Amino acid sequence: MEHAAAAAAGTIEQSHEATHPEHHTESFISKYVFSMDHKMIAKQYLITGMIWAVIGALFSVLFRLQLGFPDSTFPWLETLLGHWAKGGRISPEAYYAMVTMHGTILIFFVLTAGLSGTFSNLLIPLQVGARDMASPFMNMLSYWFFFLASIVMMSSLFVQTGPASGGWTAYPPLSALGDASIGSKIGMDLWLASLALFVVSQLLAGINYISTILNMRTKGMLMTRLPLTIWGFFFTAILGVLSFPVLLSGFILLLLDRHAGTSFFLSDLYVAGKVLSNEGGSAILYQHLFWFLGHPEVYIVILPAMGIVSEVLAINSRKPIFGYLAMVGSLFAIAALSFLVWAHHMFVAGINPFLGSFFVLLTLLIAVPSAIKVFNWLTTIWRGNIRFTPASLFCIGFVSTFISGGLTGIWLGNSTIDIHVHDTYFVIAHFHLVMGVSAIFGMFAGIYHWFPKMYGRYMNNTIGYLHFWLTLICAYLIFWPMHYQGLAGMPRRYYDYSNWESFKQFIPLNHFISIVAIVAFFAQFFFLYNFFYSIFKGRKVTTPNPWDATTLEWSTPIHPGHGNWPGEIPEVHRWPYDYSRDGKDFIPQTVPLSKGELEGH
């Protein structure tokens, strides 16, 4: 309580600026470009992430054309891609570059920066009751490092030898030797430089998020009164701060192997019959460094979406979230266990089977807190007075894909089964459903739900419903059949399967998946139209609390200025999920407890 009051007192100067805007008129550059307002920075992250999402999804459509129609030519591809698609057919080098860039873009630039960067920035100060982030300048820098990383990554698409093509994991020796392939040349250097800048961005952001949540909560905002969104962002930031530096170390060592003659990841190699001088390195070391980030990264992507889903489901079910403390505890358990399971990605890398058994145990153990969350979401909506907004539908879709995708993780977490389905389409189906689609659904839910707070207008519900149903149906039609391809042994990342007699049975299915992927891609343009049209022409918000929610962001004006509250920051008296209580539909956090009333939990 004392430190919360001190933090509130520490923002008097910011409060003074917020209530006396005449003291500092902002130019276009300071307001929209180099802004230090967390709300504007959230919009910058969001729109940059949306641009990357279109590019990353376009790559998936292009390489699905190759997979679905390997014997066909598309003359327009040569117009679009030039020498990468001579004769209207994507070259093998371009195919592998697209697969690599698709994974890199979606995982890092969309689902990490786009999702966490948008909603952590938008909601942390608003929901904890702060004027802004702990360091607005550092917050601005985090976005511009992300933007710089985006520019460097984008530039790799235009170099003569093309972008990196060693897979989004960039395993050596392919990534460590410039002569290994055309995609291992300058495109790989740009890829490494871009992600190094990206890591800097995420560290600046993560430190800011943690500091703001711990030090800048308004009076009465105990940790046990934080919305689950904030808990999700809090653990996400901790994961990023602890795991991204390990990945950065791997990238630095990889750059040294490429250009300084070191042998951290190289040993006993032959290239075109020539013996290389590298000795003593281990490619497996890179895998350990990469996956020590790579598996927490799964939860860096999914925890913000879990927080958003918990919040939006409670609001639209008009019920308190079921098991608040269990939800917080499960978030903590997921965050802790996520650091102890990385080697389940390496069951086929030659690790000791006895050591592997520990990772099997821990991997299966992490399913327990995930199951707790699922049960609590289902119990929250059970017998609720559900409002089927586009946001709540995407949350229900999230729960569906998280369950169906997560169940296949039990298979992959068992080393005896994983050895057979590793690097097959089964793995693609699993992680696209449980991480890719689920996280995207959480992101869509957040955009639809907090759009009125961001822009003071509503998105169109009819277009939102169309967007949801097309996206959900396409997601299952694309990824569910891939489980069967994987169980049949169909390997991933191959350029053309038509030469294998054993995989010819899947030619019609590959046609089907590719067609549905194209439909899914164009379905997202309903969302893009809805989003950008609604910013300027959407129905205007007329009440500060359009969803009848309890949390602090809805106590600000419809168009909050830099500082969020025009007067004093409200004091918090209760937890954030008092819905359908004491004969009232909802009770905001700012309403004091009545005499004899016990706080919910």
Side-chain angles (χ1 to χ4, degrees):
M1 289 288 286
E2 290 82 6
H3 79 266
T11 58
I12 289 174
E13 186 176 341
Q14 287 178 316
S15 172
H16 179 77
E17 291 177 358
T19 52
H20 296 85
E22 70 275 9
H23 289 178
H24 58 295
T25 55
E26 290 186 299
S27 66
F28 178 87
I29 296 292
S30 65
K31 184 173 182 181
Y32 294 104
V33 183
F34 296 108
S35 175
M36 294 192 203
D37 183 356
H38 69 98
K39 299 181 292 299
M40 183 58 65
I41 293 171
K43 295 174 187 177
Q44 291 174 326
Y45 267 110
L46 176 59
I47 292 175
T48 308
M50 286 166 63
I51 293 168
W52 271 121
V54 172
I55 296 170
L58 178 61
F59 285 149
S60 69
V61 167
L62 293 176
F63 68 67
R64 276 307 323 179
L65 281 177
Q66 166 60 32
L67 292 172
F69 310 95
D71 298 323
S72 302
T73 57
F74 304 92
W76 59 269
L77 277 177
E78 187 168 10
T79 305
L80 178 66
L81 300 174
H83 72 279
W84 294 108
K86 284 182 180 176
R89 190 180 180 199
I90 295 170
S91 68
E93 294 81 10
Y95 171 83
Y96 288 116
M98 287 178 187
V99 170
T100 301
M101 296 302 287
H102 166 74
T104 303
I105 288 167
L106 267 296
I107 289 170
F108 292 113
F109 289 77
V110 178
L111 294 178
T112 301
L115 175 55
S116 185
T118 298
F119 292 105
S120 293
N121 266 299
L122 176 69
L123 294 177
I124 287 175
L126 287 172
Q127 290 194 335
V128 306
R131 296 290 182 195
D132 206 315
M133 286 290 179
S135 173
F137 179 74
M138 190 187 292
N139 203 25
M140 178 192 75
L141 279 183
S142 75
Y143 171 74
W144 284 104
F145 269 103
F146 167 52
F147 185 81
L148 188 58
S150 298
I151 296 298
V152 174
M153 187 65 74
M154 184 75 76
S155 69
S156 75
L157 301 175
F158 299 98
V159 297
Q160 187 173 2
T161 52
S165 62
W168 79 276
T169 55
Y171 281 175
L174 193 59
S175 60
L177 296 171
D179 295 332
S181 75
I182 194 170
S184 299
K185 298 186 185 300
I186 191 171
M188 179 57 68
D189 289 323
L190 291 170
W191 189 92
L192 290 168
S194 171
L195 286 183
L197 291 167
F198 181 85
V199 170
V200 174
S201 161
Q202 293 306 296
L203 292 176
L204 288 169
I207 292 168
N208 224 349
Y209 303 155
I210 294 167
S211 302
T212 306
I213 293 169
L214 292 180
N215 298 321
M216 300 191 67
R217 303 189 307 279
T218 187
K219 187 177 180 182
M221 181 60 83
L222 308 175
M223 294 293 281
T224 51
R225 290 176 178 171
L226 289 173
L228 288 170
T229 41
I230 303 302
W231 279 109
F233 302 146
F234 180 60
F235 286 120
T236 299
I238 292 172
L239 290 181
V241 167
L242 293 178
S243 62
F244 268 115
V246 179
L247 180 69
L248 182 60
S249 70
F251 288 163
I252 292 170
L253 298 181
L254 195 54
L255 281 168
L256 290 173
D257 275 9
R258 288 176 60 82
H259 299 294
T262 58
S263 300
F264 292 106
F265 307 129
L266 299 172
S267 185
D268 305 320
L269 290 167
Y270 294 78
V271 174
K274 179 184 174 184
V275 182
L276 299 187
S277 60
N278 304 88
E279 286 185 29
S282 170
I284 302 300
L285 170 62
Y286 176 86
Q287 291 193 30
H288 281 293
L289 293 174
F290 182 89
W291 288 115
F292 191 80
L293 169 279
H295 203 79
E297 172 66 17
V298 172
Y299 298 101
I300 288 170
V301 164
I302 208 72
L303 289 183
M306 287 178 167
I308 289 169
V309 167
S310 301
E311 182 78 5
V312 175
L313 279 181
I315 291 171
N316 287 289
S317 299
R318 311 313 294 163
K319 281 180 62 183
I321 193 78
F322 184 86
Y324 173 87
L325 293 178
M327 293 289 258
V328 174
S330 62
L331 284 170
F332 173 77
I334 289 170
L337 287 169
S338 71
F339 283 106
L340 305 173
V341 297
W342 78 88
H344 69 209
H345 297 271
M346 300 169 59
F347 286 144
V348 298
I351 64 171
N352 187 308
F354 182 72
L355 180 64
S357 65
F358 285 96
F359 286 95
V360 170
L361 173 64
L362 292 165
T363 300
L364 298 180
L365 196 60
I366 206 170
V368 175
S370 299
I372 290 171
K373 302 197 76 61
V374 168
F375 292 139
N376 286 11
W377 288 323
L378 294 176
T379 314
T380 298
I381 61 177
W382 176 254
R383 294 189 173 179
N385 185 21
I386 304 176
R387 301 186 302 203
F388 290 107
T389 64
S392 65
L393 285 175
F394 271 108
C395 288
I396 294 169
F398 170 96
V399 177
S400 170
T401 56
F402 187 73
I403 293 171
S404 55
L407 287 173
T408 55
I410 298 173
W411 296 46
L412 294 171
N414 189 320
S415 58
T416 54
I417 301 174
D418 180 73
I419 286 168
H420 294 281
V421 296
H422 190 87
D423 263 337
T424 69
Y425 269 71
F426 193 92
V427 176
I428 290 181
H430 161 73
F431 82 77
H432 274 83
L433 272 179
V434 78
M435 187 179 82
V437 175
S438 296
I440 286 284
F441 275 24
M443 192 171 184
F444 282 140
I447 293 169
Y448 281 106
H449 184 76
W450 279 287
F451 191 87
K453 180 50 58 183
M454 296 178 82
Y455 295 104
R457 294 177 185 267
Y458 296 98
M459 293 179 74
N460 182 287
N461 276 0
T462 303
I463 301 176
Y465 295 140
L466 180 63
H467 173 225
F468 167 73
W469 286 110
L470 281 173
T471 306
L472 180 72
I473 292 167
C474 287
Y476 272 119
L477 291 179
I478 291 168
F479 296 116
W480 199 255
M482 289 184 185
H483 289 95
Y484 301 102
Q485 292 177 313
L487 288 173
M490 186 167 162
R492 60 177 175 167
R493 294 176 177 162
Y494 279 33
Y495 173 69
D496 185 353
Y497 296 90
S498 58
N499 294 324
W500 274 270
E501 197 65 39
S502 54
F503 301 134
K504 282 185 177 177
Q505 61 181 313
F506 292 121
I507 289 176
L509 185 56
N510 272 336
H511 285 327
F512 174 76
I513 292 173
S514 294
I515 290 168
V516 178
I518 293 168
V519 173
F521 176 73
F522 285 105
Q524 305 317 304
F525 285 90
F526 287 110
F527 167 76
L528 290 173
Y529 168 80
N530 194 359
F531 181 86
F532 287 105
Y533 178 85
S534 298
I535 288 175
F536 303 103
K537 300 288 187 180
R539 182 167 55 92
K540 289 185 177 181
V541 175
T542 56
T543 172
N545 190 2
W547 308 125
D548 292 335
T550 61
T551 44
L552 285 181
E553 75 269 30
W554 305 109
S555 67
T556 62
I558 294 172
H559 295 281
H562 191 180
N564 299 331
W565 288 270
E568 291 186 13
I569 300 176
E571 184 178 343
V572 168
H573 299 276
R574 58 180 68 235
W575 79 316
Y577 298 107
D578 273 336
Y579 294 101
S580 303
R581 178 173 180 174
D582 298 335
K584 297 177 182 176
D585 183 35
F586 70 105
I587 307 174
Q589 283 189 280
T590 54
V591 175
L593 294 167
S594 57
K595 190 174 181 179
E597 182 185 356
L598 295 175
E599 189 172 352
H601 266 204

